[in-house]
Amino acid sequence: MGNRHLFIADVIGRIGICTYSILVVWTKIARTMTTGDYSSHGVVFIIAEIAAILFIGMMCVVTLTRMPQVRSARGVEPYLTAMGGTFLFLLIAFLPPPMVLPDAVRIAAMVLMIIGFLSSAYMLAILGRSFSIAPGARALVTTGPYSIVRHPLYLTEEIFIIGMILFSFSPWTVYLGVVHWGLQLRRMSNEETVLWAAFPDYRSYAERVPKVIPFLPMRGKRAATTG
């Protein structure tokens, strides 16, 4: 992809992500202020909403300030996979009503969602200007959580997804969760292809850092630092 196309794609991506972020944050604030959902769920619900707003706001900030790409993925599939992995669970709004589970399970689910949101916001802060939704090489990040696994952001996002599945539990949400994880695995592979080609130092990084599960034995897998 030429420099001009990279620039255009980058501008469109920034506008799209930040527009989405603003709409989601505004919707959450408006819903909480006008419907009084906080009264039925208590403190855990309020914390979950604040955590979600923090994560989405952080995503907008790092998107606006991110540095230019030095290399991008080839073809359409990596971009479609990235979009699917990011936005697939929006389909949950169109699924049949979930099963009625005990309040304790729903509270536990919200706690997982809070942990997922807050830890994901922290990963975004660590990535900073190298963050990207679509596969792209911007900079190498190997400090903090990226010294433990190569894709800590995806790991923390899955904690949120598990919480969402439990909160709106049904066979359909479980199926979405399986599809989502498959997309994320493919997304990691696509990112590693780009970053492996862009940064020769990835070989040594991959040899000492597991892909997504901490403390697993290494087998010389490729490295990635954008997700």
Side-chain angles (χ1 to χ4, degrees), residues 54-172:
L54 176 64
F55 168 70
I56 295 168
M58 180 65 74
M59 186 168 64
C60 183
V61 170
V62 296
T63 297
L64 285 175
T65 60
R66 68 190 181 189
M67 65 184 76
Q69 293 185 109
V70 297
R71 194 178 187 95
S72 63
R74 295 182 178 180
V76 176
E77 180 272 322
Y79 297 92
L80 294 179
T81 300
M83 294 302 105
T86 302
F87 301 110
L88 178 68
F89 260 79
L90 293 177
L91 295 176
I92 201 169
F94 304 98
L95 295 180
M99 299 170 59
V100 178
L101 297 179
D103 289 342
V105 174
R106 292 172 63 84
I107 291 174
M110 294 185 73
V111 170
L112 286 175
M113 292 165 68
I114 291 169
I115 293 172
F117 271 136
L118 293 179
S119 55
S120 294
Y122 172 68
M123 299 306 166
L124 289 177
I126 295 294
L127 276 175
R129 299 181 64 210
S130 62
F131 169 74
S132 179
I133 287 181
R138 300 177 189 275
L140 173 61
V141 179
T142 60
T143 58
Y146 286 85
S147 66
I148 301 173
V149 292
R150 305 198 304 266
H151 297 278
L153 179 56
Y154 293 138
L155 182 60
T156 57
E157 286 178 350
E158 288 311 307
I159 295 174
F160 163 76
I161 292 297
I162 292 171
M164 180 175 285
I165 292 172
L166 288 175
F167 189 80
S168 302
F169 189 80
S170 73
W172 287 103

Side-chain angles (χ1 to χ4, degrees), residues 11-53:
V11 170
I12 294 174
R14 292 177 195 238
I15 293 173
I17 293 170
C18 289
T19 299
Y20 168 78
S21 300
I22 291 170
L23 288 174
V24 171
V25 169
W26 176 260
T27 300
K28 284 184 172 295
I29 293 175
R31 184 184 66 183
T32 303
M33 295 294 293
T34 60
T35 66
D37 281 347
Y38 54 87
S39 62
S40 61
H41 295 287
V43 176
V44 176
F45 177 84
I46 297 174
I47 295 174
E49 291 291 275
I50 293 173
I53 291 171

Side-chain angles (χ1 to χ4, degrees), residues 70-72 136-138 192-202:
V70 297
R71 194 178 187 95
S72 63
R138 300 177 189 275
E192 290 179 349
T193 298
V194 175
L195 296 170
W196 184 269
F199 301 106
D201 292 343
Y202 278 5

